[in-house]
Amino acid sequence: MAQRQRAAAVPPVLLSRQALADAGVEFPPGATGPSTIPLTPGGSTYTMAQAAQFVDGDHFAIGRWDGSLGVFTYEASATQGPLISAAAANPESEGVQMITVIGQGLLVTSGTDSAMTLWKADGGWDQMSPVTQIAYDGAFGAANCGAVVSVGGGSRLVVGHANGYLTAWTLSGLEQCMEADLRHEPPLNPYGLVNIRSVQYVAGADDGEAVVATGGEDGYICLVKVPTGTILGAAPYNPRAQRGINSIAVDGTSLLVANCSVGSADSNLWLFEIDADTGSITYQDNTNLKVDPARPQVFNFATVFSDAASGTWLASTEEGVVWMGSVVSGQLHGWGYTTLASPPLGSAIAVSPGGQVVVANYDLFEFTDVPTSAPQPG
């Protein structure tokens, strides 16, 4: 397996802004300009949120680009304090982009370019500590996403990596049992990125395997069988895309893609119908979640289904807002948005089994009484 040369770990939203600036596009409008004082820029540490995950019914974890992992108690209050904050990953390996619960009090997170970290909470999440490093071939790259799926009466941890690979691991012993190369050349983004940003369980197969969907920076949606690694289907979310996939969400046969829209004619939320038996990936609809029509780009950082029964979805975008809507008869219906207190350069959403919602960028936001149908005027 050839070792892929990794570029500097810079958040894709900043790569995209720089690409627009290099093309002569001012971003954001009226807010750029030369420095008026003699300070030479050095390095930057990015604290933007990259991953959010409920670890049980009352607690959620946030992973950030700077390599930190925080675990919080969900409370319907205006103030919130962390139970634990720890260094979970090397920020040169893109920080903490994966947080996956593999058992009661057990988490696996991003670590380095060639290892993940297993965490255990003995006596409560405030006593969580790293247990071991789970090593793998560095050619896969850092762990960017993960999911636990049922396979033939058992379970597997499925991990998407920065260099375009998908791996699977036994939960007992955390031994690697699969690798699949999901890269498509050339990638649809201008930076050569092939990260697998999102993996979601789709369905069980008749042969005892599981089918998962992935979304990659190369712009492709893939349907993959676990644990054989068989690729059932693959398709670009948009053959004319200028940026890759940031996040996907699956609800039955509906699949959402979150991406960055560039220009007024692009879209940053796409809907597909997927078939776990045939591997088909069929386009249905798209929309551009955009408040200010003058913005040259709007990143859609994350999308989730918040209520499976109603097809309700949430999306968090670069303008510092959370959008909400639903999927009805193969079409996207947007209900509107709420503005967060701080605009994001990265954002993540998590939904608990009970319907509690948290959104993180630089700050943390909790939402209660999340609607499952469009609000009525008045």
Side-chain angles (χ1 to χ4, degrees):
M1 183 187 302
Q3 182 80 35
R4 183 181 178 90
Q5 185 176 2
R6 183 174 61 84
V10 177
V13 61
L14 298 182
L15 288 175
S16 185
R17 289 188 176 190
Q18 186 59 51
L20 290 170
D22 292 344
V25 178
E26 187 180 65
F27 190 93
T32 59
S35 174
T36 59
I37 54 177
L39 292 179
T40 302
S44 297
T45 298
Y46 306 110
T47 58
M48 59 190 65
Q50 296 297 295
Q53 177 68 52
F54 271 86
V55 296
D56 60 28
D58 299 313
H59 303 92
F60 60 93
I62 303 295
R64 297 186 180 275
W65 194 278
D66 63 1
S68 63
L69 173 70
V71 180
F72 301 80
T73 302
Y74 183 94
E75 296 178 356
S77 65
T79 60
Q80 179 63 260
L83 289 175
I84 182 172
S85 183
N90 180 353
E92 292 183 356
S93 299
E94 304 183 0
V96 180
Q97 298 207 37
M98 184 190 81
I99 305 169
T100 306
V101 179
I102 65 167
Q104 185 172 0
L106 291 173
L107 297 179
V108 174
T109 69
S110 313
T112 68
D113 285 347
S114 58
M116 298 177 288
T117 304
L118 174 65
W119 299 76
K120 186 175 182 179
D122 284 323
W125 291 107
D126 57 337
Q127 300 178 46
M128 186 180 73
S129 61
V131 176
T132 189
Q133 294 291 301
I134 307 160
Y136 54 79
D137 190 331
F140 297 152
N144 283 177
C145 60
V148 172
V149 301
S150 297
V151 179
S155 297
R156 297 290 186 274
L157 168 64
V158 184
V159 179
H161 295 268
N163 291 346
Y165 288 87
L166 190 71
T167 62
W169 304 75
T170 63
L171 293 194
S172 176
L174 289 171
E175 297 177 345
Q176 185 183 333
C177 58
M178 184 198 86
E179 69 176 70
D181 185 351
L182 304 186
R183 294 173 294 179
H184 293 82
E185 299 290 348
L188 297 182
N189 66 78
Y191 329 112
L193 299 178
V194 292
N195 307 61
I196 304 300
R197 294 293 186 194
S198 190
V199 58
Q200 298 284 320
Y201 173 77
V202 176
D206 293 337
D207 55 10
E209 295 191 62
V211 178
V212 298
T214 65
E217 282 279 8
D218 62 3
Y220 277 75
I221 307 161
C222 293
L223 297 179
V224 185
K225 296 183 78 173
V226 177
T228 60
T230 303
I231 300 174
L232 295 176
Y237 79 93
N238 174 13
R240 297 176 296 279
Q242 300 179 63
R243 302 293 186 264
I245 294 173
N246 302 325
S247 170
I248 65 171
V250 173
D251 175 15
T253 60
S254 295
L255 182 146
L256 295 175
V257 169
N259 64 291
C260 173
S261 61
V262 179
S264 59
D266 202 357
S267 293
N268 59 15
L269 184 67
W270 300 71
L271 173 65
F272 295 83
E273 183 179 41
I274 54 176
D275 189 315
D277 295 323
T278 66
S280 66
I281 303 166
T282 306
Y283 164 80
Q284 290 192 303
D285 198 10
N286 69 80
T287 189
N288 200 14
L289 304 176
K290 191 173 186 179
V291 178
D292 180 1
R295 291 180 73 92
Q297 75 167 40
V298 176
F299 248 78
N300 185 353
F301 293 107
T303 187
V304 297
F305 279 105
S306 61
D307 183 75
S310 63
T312 306
W313 52 261
L314 294 161
S316 179
T317 66
E318 188 178 358
E319 292 181 279
V321 301
V322 175
W323 295 82
M324 193 168 194
S326 60
V327 173
V328 179
S329 300
Q331 291 186 315
L332 292 166
H333 292 262
W335 301 347
Y337 61 87
T338 186
T339 303
L340 304 179
S342 60
L345 280 177
S347 188
I349 306 175
V351 180
S352 76
Q356 300 164 321
V357 174
V358 296
V359 181
N361 46 50
Y362 295 108
D363 299 328
L364 300 181
F365 304 90
E366 298 176 344
F367 295 95
T368 59
D369 301 322
V370 180
T372 57
S373 59
Q376 298 301 309

